[in-house]
Structure formats: structure tokens, C-alpha cells
Amino acid sequence: MTPIAVRRWAWIHKWSSLVCTVFMLLLCVTGLPLIYHHEIDHALGNAIEAPQMAAGTPMASLDKVIAAGKALYPDKMAMYLSQEADDPKIWFLTMGDNPTDEKFKSIAVDARTAKVLGEPSFEGSFLGVMFHLHVDLYAGLWGKLFLGLMGLLLVMAIISGVVLYAPFMRKLDFGEVRRERGPRVKWLDLHNMLGIVTLTWALVVGATGMINTWADLLLKYWQYTEMAEMVAPYKGLPPPTQLGSMQQSLEHAVAAEPGMKIGFVAFPGTPFTSPHHYGIFMRGNEALTSRLYKPVLIDAQTTQITDRRQLPWYLTGLLISQPLHFGDYGGPWMQFLWAALDVITIFVLGSGLYLWLKRGAPAPARAAAAAAKEEQQQVPA
């Protein structure tokens, strides 16, 4: 690689890094507690737990679960119904004034007794603040797209950093830290070494984080294409005045998809379904397939299945990217690994910012360019 090429790559690395570093530091700092959100919720006393009961206690009808929520908020309508993948003892019922109410109420209902256990308080909590700063900067879709752009710049910074690493480290052993050359050179060597060590993880987390910021756009595209096809026979019909049994609807969906479990339910009028349907999203049983959903549309009056199909490739890719980004699919050891790599990445980002602030000393670009020039001179004509 010629010195001119090195300088070009160095320009890309410098500016892509400088623009995204502060935001990447914010994402790493806010992402750290989100890795342990379940544990933090329990430690803060915010987690809602179901009482212990004898094994094999039968589950209550979903109609009773919904009725419990309506008894608490009689003027609101049900929006969504869901369960944690590892805790089927609690149903979380979302209720609002309309199908897209952003000020909804979340209610935890015991899945066996249909009794209200409490109302989870997420908005305004510590984890709620960390989540919004990490996902959208409290700016909605535009905040997500902005962070997606920062993720793209991070990927560019990583790739350009790898390109510069080869000529710069040609005459150094891997992991060598030259302490005798002064603090800036020491920080530069640590920055390079830890950057290479975390290379694959940073690329995976950066790329999947960027993909996650497109979730709203991908969902809207799905709604206007495949979902529109699934509900086309009901176009122009008036919404139902009375809804059928949710329990019967669920039983029909489970019978149609044996070996799958319920992921979540969308009530008529919400973005995941139509004004005429229950949208029952089934999920698999394995570690990977538990994150992949299959929509089953149920006529909200007759409780009969009207359509069911696999999600398109772009939504499947989105769903796969989420556990890869958060590292929450491999148990405590995976959480620890993700947290450790997150802390190292904070150091890499911080050291890169320090090196730029101390840029009066020889820059890495000039060192890399000098190494490339020397290598060229050694090649016989």
C-alpha cells in the first residue's frame, strides 16, 4: 500500500472515528446496564414475580386475563398481550385509550389465577432512561436513524483501522506496548492492540445495532406489503362490534403451529394486525428460533384462522440481529463476555479521543505512511 493510500485511509479513519466516538461512548455506557436489565430490575425491587404454586397448576383462560385488565382500566382497550420467553407464569397486558396510544398502561397478570400482580414502571426508571438513550435519544424514529448513521461510521472506522494496522505494526510484535517512548505512544499501542482484540465483536455489535435502527421502517414496509395482502379480503368492511374469545383464538393458532409457543398477541387496530384480526405471533422453542416469529391472523369475530405465513427475510434478519447485539441468548457467561468487551470498547473509544486531543505528537497516519514508504523502498525494482 502506497503512502498516499495510507493517508487516504487515515483520513477516513480519523473523521469517521471523531464524528461517532462521543455517541459510541454513550451507547457503550448505556448498553452496559441493559445487558443485565433483569438482574438490575430484581436488585432495585422493580421486578414483578408470580407467587410460587404447585407444579402443574393449570393456566387461566386468556379471556379472564384480559377481563382482569379491563376491570382495572374499564375505559381502556387491550393493545398487546405477551410473556417473557423464560417465564410463562405472567402475562403482560398493554392497555390504552386507542390502538396506538403511546401513554399505554402495562399490567402484569398471573397466568394461573388471572389476578393482577402489579403495573411495571419502565418509563422514567433508571433502565427506562438507559434504554431511550441507547435506542433513540428520546427523538423517536429520527433519533434511531441518527444512531444508525453513527453505527455506519463506526463500521467504517473499524475497517479503516484494520487497514492502517498492518503497515503500522509491521515491525512490532503483536500486543507490544512501547512504554519507553512516552505516554502517547503507550496509549497508541494499547488503542491498536485492544482495537484488534475487540475487532470481531465491535463489528458484530456495530452492524447489528445499525440494523436494529431500521426496525420501524422495515415493519412499515412489511405492513404495506405482506400484511396488506393477508388482510386484503377484509378491505372496506366495517370493524367488528364484538370480539370473539381470545382463548379460542389462541387454541386455534397453537393447533395450527404445533411445536411453537405464543410470542405475543396484537389486538385489532394495532400496527401488527388489522381492525378485523387478532395477530398471534408464534415463536420457536430453541435458543435461536425463540426470537423468530410466525404471524397467524385470526378473525376477531369468528376466531378462525384467515392467514399465516413466515416472515420475510428482512424481518428475519432483523430478529436475528437483536440477540447478537444485546448478547442475551447465551446465559450468564455470554452476558459477562458482552459486558467485558463493552468495557474494553469504552477504553478503545476513549483512548482514540485522547490520541486526537494529543495530536501534536506524530500521528498514527504518519507512522503508518512512513512504514509503508520504507517497505516500498525495500522492494527491488
Side-chain angles (χ1 to χ4, degrees):
M1 188 164 56
T2 66
I4 293 177
V6 169
R7 283 195 291 271
R8 287 173 179 170
W9 279 105
W11 186 90
I12 294 173
H13 183 69
K14 179 176 75 173
W15 288 108
S16 61
S17 300
L18 285 177
V19 172
C20 76
T21 290
V22 172
F23 296 99
M24 288 301 109
L25 277 171
L26 173 66
L27 293 179
C28 286
V29 170
T30 55
L32 194 56
L34 292 178
I35 296 173
Y36 290 101
H37 64 278
H38 285 300
E39 291 80 1
I40 292 175
D41 256 346
H42 282 281
L44 296 177
N46 296 330
I48 295 178
E49 299 183 7
Q52 293 295 328
M53 293 186 181
T57 301
M59 297 296 178
S61 167
L62 282 185
D63 298 321
K64 292 184 177 180
V65 171
I66 298 168
K70 285 188 173 293
L72 193 62
Y73 291 103
D75 296 331
K76 296 185 181 294
M77 61 173 294
M79 297 169 62
Y80 299 101
L81 193 63
S82 64
Q83 285 183 321
E84 294 285 351
D86 57 351
D87 187 7
K89 298 188 295 297
I90 300 177
W91 284 107
F92 292 95
L93 177 64
T94 303
M95 303 191 71
D97 294 328
N98 57 71
T100 57
D101 187 3
E102 295 183 356
K103 297 181 179 180
F104 56 82
K105 297 290 185 180
S106 182
I107 306 165
V109 183
D110 193 308
R112 301 152 301 177
T113 63
K115 292 184 178 179
V116 174
L117 297 174
E119 298 182 52
S121 55
F122 183 73
E123 295 297 331
S125 67
F126 169 72
L127 286 176
V129 172
M130 293 296 103
F131 177 81
H132 281 295
L133 290 175
H134 190 84
V135 171
D136 62 6
L137 298 175
Y138 284 96
L141 176 60
W142 289 109
K144 292 179 182 179
L145 295 178
F146 175 79
L147 291 178
L149 175 61
M150 295 302 103
L152 175 61
L153 291 178
L154 173 66
V155 172
M156 293 173 60
I158 293 172
I159 293 173
S160 57
V162 172
V163 173
L164 291 172
Y165 182 80
F168 180 75
M169 296 296 291
R170 187 77 67 183
K171 293 186 177 182
L172 295 177
D173 294 331
F174 178 79
E176 181 178 350
V177 178
R178 295 167 293 175
R179 302 179 186 277
E180 72 283 355
R181 297 283 296 275
R184 189 181 184 281
V185 173
K186 180 183 73 173
W187 280 88
L188 175 60
D189 289 345
L190 287 170
H191 176 83
N192 289 333
M193 178 188 69
L194 294 177
I196 289 296
V197 168
T198 59
L199 168 67
T200 301
W201 181 85
L203 270 175
V204 168
V205 171
T208 54
M210 179 177 62
I211 293 171
N212 285 332
T213 64
W214 304 337
D216 290 351
L217 297 179
L218 294 177
L219 177 60
K220 286 186 180 299
Y221 180 74
W222 175 72
Q223 291 168 344
Y224 285 116
T225 54
E226 293 207 18
M227 175 59 75
E229 292 179 6
M230 297 172 75
V231 302
Y234 290 78
K235 188 176 182 179
L237 296 179
T241 56
Q242 187 172 357
L243 301 180
S245 167
M246 173 55 71
Q247 182 63 35
Q248 289 182 9
S249 300
L250 178 63
E251 290 170 359
H252 291 155
V254 171
E257 299 295 339
M260 300 189 77
K261 296 181 178 179
I262 182 174
F264 68 94
V265 174
F267 285 79
T270 53
F272 288 89
T273 183
S274 82
H276 305 274
H277 293 86
Y278 293 129
I280 299 182
F281 288 74
M282 309 297 291
R283 62 174 179 83
N285 288 317
E286 305 299 329
L288 178 61
T289 59
S290 65
R291 306 305 179 99
L292 300 179
Y293 295 104
K294 183 175 183 179
V296 179
L297 292 189
I298 306 285
D299 187 299
Q301 280 188 301
T302 67
T303 73
Q304 298 301 310
I305 296 175
T306 63
D307 201 344
R308 57 192 175 96
R309 59 180 70 179
Q310 300 289 342
L311 288 177
W313 64 268
Y314 52 88
L315 286 184
T316 299
L318 172 67
L319 292 172
I320 291 176
S321 73
Q322 291 175 348
L324 288 175
H325 182 75
F326 291 105
D328 58 354
Y329 62 94
W333 284 109
M334 180 67 75
Q335 287 178 295
F336 175 78
L337 176 62
W338 248 239
L341 291 170
D342 187 286
V343 171
I344 295 173
T345 302
I346 290 174
F347 179 86
V348 172
L349 293 167
S351 60
L353 194 59
Y354 166 82
L355 290 169
W356 181 75
L357 293 173
K358 298 292 185 179
R359 61 190 180 281
R366 290 198 291 274
K373 184 175 182 180
E374 182 181 347
E375 184 176 329
Q376 274 195 331
Q377 291 174 348
Q378 293 176 354
V379 177

